[in-house]
Amino acid sequence: RLDSISCRRGDDGRLVVLANVRNMGADDIYRVPFFTGDMAAFRVAATVTTVAGAQERFEAVRYIRLNVASGAVLALNSTLTPAADVTRIDVVADPDRVVPDPIRDNNTLSWRGAIDGANPQCDVRR
């Protein structure tokens, strides 16, 4: 479950989106290798939209164990888009739909508005 999203200014001045997630499944998520050689992980992806309508997608991956009912905060890779140009942020937990959840009503959060580049705020809580 994606509980909340928020923004902060990174050390390099770019926008960083934070996603607070909770494992509400029946199983712990472990760091184990798949047959493909990839490691099992929990992913969160964000898409930012600018004033001009351009979009940028970026993500965060959690490779360490996420127990059932436990939570974690993932810092998504910082955007290349200047924070002041962002007018919309859409965040989705498990963007590849690895976890079987036909309803998926608790996996997305969106924010719309204007962001102050010096003090970015985009708080959305479920």
Side-chain angles (χ1 to χ4, degrees):
R1 179 176 76 195
L2 181 58
D3 284 339
S4 66
I5 60 173
S6 60
C7 294
R8 69 172 173 84
R9 187 173 182 268
D11 294 337
D12 59 2
R14 294 190 287 177
L15 180 68
V16 175
V17 177
L18 303 171
N20 186 343
V21 297
R22 185 165 303 280
N23 181 1
M24 299 304 291
D27 299 307
D28 294 345
I29 299 171
Y30 296 96
R31 181 179 186 233
V32 296
F34 292 127
F35 292 119
T36 62
D38 295 325
M39 294 300 289
F42 189 83
R43 287 184 54 232
V44 176
T47 303
V48 296
T49 304
T50 68
V51 174
Q55 292 187 326
E56 180 184 354
R57 182 178 163 125
F58 51 103
E59 64 182 42
V61 180
R62 180 182 169 98
Y63 287 106
I64 60 175
R65 183 176 177 157
L66 186 58
N67 296 331
V68 171
S70 67
V73 175
L74 284 77
L76 285 80
N77 297 333
S78 58
T79 64
L80 298 176
T81 304
D85 291 349
V86 174
T87 59
R88 180 176 175 151
I89 302 171
D90 297 299
V91 180
V92 59
D94 187 26
D96 299 319
R97 298 179 172 247
V98 174
V99 178
D101 181 358
I103 300 172
R104 300 187 70 79
D105 63 352
N106 61 0
N107 292 5
T108 61
L109 285 174
S110 294
W111 172 90
R112 288 184 185 183
I115 292 182
D116 175 5
N119 184 24
Q121 300 293 318
C122 68
D123 297 343
V124 177
R125 301 201 186 296
R126 191 167 303 285

